[in-house]
């Protein structure tokens, strides 16, 4: 299979007024599964289409192993693509749909093609559907056909463009697992595009996070979750999202205090923390994840701040406790912590669980320039 390397890949539209992909560097190892994730319009599909050969880059290159494929036509690239809308021919049967791709891209004989289609259909659990037309199939069955058709071509690179968006939640979960199993079984290098951070977290060996065409961070899901390089990644990855509060940090030679008068927040930082992080007095954005916040229904006086409960949303295993700290502040508490709306509660988190971002650039202030550069390679 192939290692895929994107080198300063750029795509401009409308005579340069729209920069869809902004000098993107990304390497996907042979057999690796990389999920490209970001909000709508950040350049995910354009990137994928340049890898497929369906979109011509404005500048930069695409390599499969050591071969520069930038100018090679889509049909000549060893890739298979799976789309959200399945892209099946409506007048052809499942068998014909699956065989057609093989006819166009291989020199297999008719009987070889039919044998391959039968094998793939069996593997995808759709052998009983081979004589059906697409409009007789459910969304999940259509996507299985599209996957079977793609894998039958034995591509070196598998490209997925939001393939599960049209399916219901349960089927989506099932198909996520199935796609990962297939990808590992065949050892195909895969690039998977989604706007859904939850999907991105559950799939893929690594995530590549894009914003406005620019790569923000590449890393394993847990790495990105625990050590986001900037406020954007911190807020985008994780559900419910990280909470943010504008704060002042005042160092006093040994320790330091984080304060926000607006949120009524005061958190003393230890001397080790201040020394270890080389923390300076200034304005920051504090980030804390909902699951790292402790809500105390009987405030003791030792809490980080006090707040009023706005809404409590039970989700079964836990409660989402919405608090009036900032406009959108949420704690994830165990099910037994269930205050009422309007209650005053204690809210605590510790220095080990916070992130501090530069108030101007949004960068995690504890990362060096080298660490930030390493996070996007
Ligand atoms: P979505 O999740 O909504 O599909 P995306 O992250 O895949 O978004 P792209 O479709 O790659 O984003 O689009 C990136 C940017 O390029 C957007 O601003 C989009 O409007 C613009 N764009 C994409 N294709 C074209 C085109 N053919 N002509 C002009 N602008 C385009």
């Amino acid at each position: 299979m192939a290692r895929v390397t994107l080198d300063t890949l750029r795509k401009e539209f409308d005579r340069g007024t729209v920069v869809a992909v902004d000098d993107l560097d990304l390497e996907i190892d042979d057999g690796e599964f990389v999920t490209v994730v970001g909000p709508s319009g950040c350049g995910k599909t354009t990137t994928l289409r340049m890898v497929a050969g369906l979109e011509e880059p404005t500048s930069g290159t695409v390599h499969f192993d050591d071969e520069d494929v930038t100018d090679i036509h889509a049909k000549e690239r060893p890739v298979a693509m799976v789309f959200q809308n399945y892209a099946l021919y409506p007048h052809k049967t499942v068998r014909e749909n699956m065989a057609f791709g093989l006819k166009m891209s291989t020199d297999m004989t008719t009987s070889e093609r039919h044998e391959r289609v039968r094998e793939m259909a069996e593997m995808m659990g759709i052998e009983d559907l081979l004589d059906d037309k697409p409009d007789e199939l459910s969304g999940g069955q259509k996507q299985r056909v599209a996957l079977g058709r793609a894998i039958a071509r034995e591509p070196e690179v598998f490209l997925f463009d939001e393939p599960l968006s049209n399916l219901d939640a349960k089927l989506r979960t099932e198909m996520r697992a199935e796609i990962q199993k297939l990808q590992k079984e065949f050892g195909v290098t895969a690039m998977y595009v989604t706007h859904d951070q939850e999907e991105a977290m559950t799939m893929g060996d690594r995530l590549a996070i894009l914003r406005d065409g620019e790569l923000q961070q590449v890393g394993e899901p847990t790495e990105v979750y625990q050590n986001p390089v900037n406020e954007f990644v911190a807020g985008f990855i994780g559900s419910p999202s990280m909470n943010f509060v504008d704060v002042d940090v005042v160092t006093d030679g040994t320790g330091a205090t984080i304060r926000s008068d607006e949120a009524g927040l005061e958190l003393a930082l230890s001397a080790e923390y201040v020394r270890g992080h080389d923390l300076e007095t200034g304005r920051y954005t504090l980030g804390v994840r909902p699951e790292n916040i402790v809500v105390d229904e009987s405030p003791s006086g030792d809490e980080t701040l006090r707040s009023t409960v706005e809404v409590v949303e039970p989700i079964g295993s836990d409660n989402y406790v919405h608090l009036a700290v900032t406009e959108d502040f949420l704690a994830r508490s165990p099910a037994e912590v269930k205050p009422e709306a309007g209650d005053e509660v204690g809210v605590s988190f510790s220095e080990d669980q916070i992130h501090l971002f530069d108030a101007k650039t949004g960068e995690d202030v504890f990362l060096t320039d080298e660490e930030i550069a390493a996070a996007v390679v």
Side-chain angles (χ1 to χ4, degrees):
M1 301 301 155
R3 182 183 69 249
V4 177
T5 311
L6 315 185
D7 189 357
T8 47
L9 196 63
R10 184 177 188 84
K11 181 66 189 181
E12 298 174 0
F13 289 109
D14 299 339
R15 279 178 260 121
T17 52
V18 176
V19 180
V21 179
D22 194 351
D23 297 345
L24 180 64
D25 289 318
L26 181 64
E27 187 167 309
I28 308 176
D29 285 339
D30 187 348
E32 193 184 17
F33 194 130
V34 167
T35 306
V36 179
V37 64
S40 184
C42 70
K44 306 178 293 289
T45 296
T46 306
T47 303
L48 200 76
R49 287 172 57 81
M50 288 193 281
V51 177
L54 298 170
E55 200 78 71
E56 195 185 334
T58 306
S59 55
T61 57
V62 178
H63 281 76
F64 289 174
D65 289 329
D66 295 327
E67 189 191 356
D68 186 343
V69 298
T70 318
D71 297 324
I72 292 183
H73 195 273
K75 278 201 182 120
E76 312 298 322
R77 296 192 192 188
V79 303
M81 206 159 164
V82 179
F83 304 89
Q84 176 178 348
N85 63 6
Y86 322 117
L88 299 175
Y89 296 102
H91 57 281
K92 291 187 195 294
T93 62
V94 166
R95 186 192 316 279
E96 288 163 348
N97 261 291
M98 290 175 77
F100 188 68
L102 293 176
K103 192 171 172 185
M104 301 309 285
S105 62
T106 69
D107 48 15
M108 291 169 115
T109 63
T110 309
S111 66
E112 282 169 339
R113 285 201 299 270
H114 280 262
E115 179 53 21
R116 172 76 62 78
V117 167
R118 201 195 51 73
E119 273 173 29
M120 291 302 136
E122 203 172 301
M123 205 177 67
M124 300 302 301
I126 51 170
E127 62 272 39
D128 295 342
L129 308 176
L130 282 171
D131 296 317
D132 290 351
K133 297 264 178 71
D135 66 6
E136 297 174 75
L137 309 180
S138 68
Q141 288 169 332
K142 282 186 206 162
Q143 201 50 291
R144 281 207 170 80
V145 175
L147 278 170
R149 179 181 60 179
I151 204 86
R153 294 175 53 191
E154 298 187 335
E156 292 191 33
V157 181
F158 223 155
L159 302 175
F160 299 92
D161 193 359
E162 308 246 8
L164 308 182
S165 303
N166 287 348
L167 308 181
D168 65 43
K170 185 167 177 292
L171 199 53
R172 221 163 36 227
T173 312
E174 259 172 55
M175 293 295 282
R176 280 179 196 164
E178 213 159 302
I179 288 177
Q180 289 177 86
K181 212 172 99 202
L182 269 183
Q183 188 266 341
K184 290 293 171 228
E185 215 163 283
F186 284 82
V188 193
T189 309
M191 193 170 177
Y192 187 106
V193 158
T194 178
H195 66 276
D196 178 348
Q197 66 82 32
E198 202 175 314
E199 186 157 292
M201 287 295 282
T202 58
M203 301 188 79
D205 301 312
R206 286 188 303 155
L207 308 185
I209 298 137
L210 284 183
R211 180 195 197 186
D212 296 338
E214 283 184 33
L215 189 60
Q216 304 291 301
Q217 186 165 8
V218 185
E220 292 176 13
T222 43
E223 164 70 17
V224 172
Y225 185 80
Q226 285 165 5
N227 300 312
V229 289
N230 59 32
E231 192 179 330
F232 171 78
V233 174
F236 188 73
I237 297 294
S239 176
S241 187
M242 186 184 279
N243 298 293
F244 297 106
V245 186
D246 294 332
V247 295
D248 289 300
V249 171
V250 181
T251 56
D252 62 11
T254 49
T257 309
I258 298 183
R259 268 203 197 95
S260 161
D261 291 340
E262 200 187 334
L265 179 157
E266 183 161 319
L267 177 65
L269 299 173
S270 66
E272 295 83 68
Y273 186 92
V274 175
R275 248 196 334 271
H277 291 100
D278 211 9
L279 188 62
E280 291 172 8
T281 293
R283 292 281 290 162
Y284 297 86
T285 302
L286 174 145
V288 59
R289 293 212 179 269
E291 64 272 29
N292 292 329
I293 298 171
V294 176
V295 172
D296 189 346
E297 290 175 272
S298 323
S300 62
D302 292 337
E303 54 273 346
T304 312
L305 59 98
R306 281 191 193 193
S307 185
T308 309
V309 174
E310 289 181 328
V311 177
V312 178
E313 270 182 283
I315 57 155
S317 56
D318 297 312
N319 287 325
Y320 291 161
V321 183
H322 295 259
L323 297 157
V325 179
T326 55
E327 204 172 309
D328 206 8
F329 197 98
L330 179 77
R332 183 174 185 151
S333 302
E336 59 274 17
V337 179
K338 203 177 175 200
E340 303 270 314
D343 284 358
E344 197 187 49
V345 291
V347 178
S348 300
F349 37 86
S350 74
E351 64 183 24
D352 312 329
Q353 287 154 337
I354 59 166
H355 297 261
L356 287 175
F357 303 101
D358 186 294
K360 284 203 189 76
T361 64
E363 284 175 2
D364 183 320
V365 289
F366 301 138
L367 294 178
T368 62
D369 289 347
E370 290 76 37
E371 282 169 327
I372 288 175
V376 293
V377 175

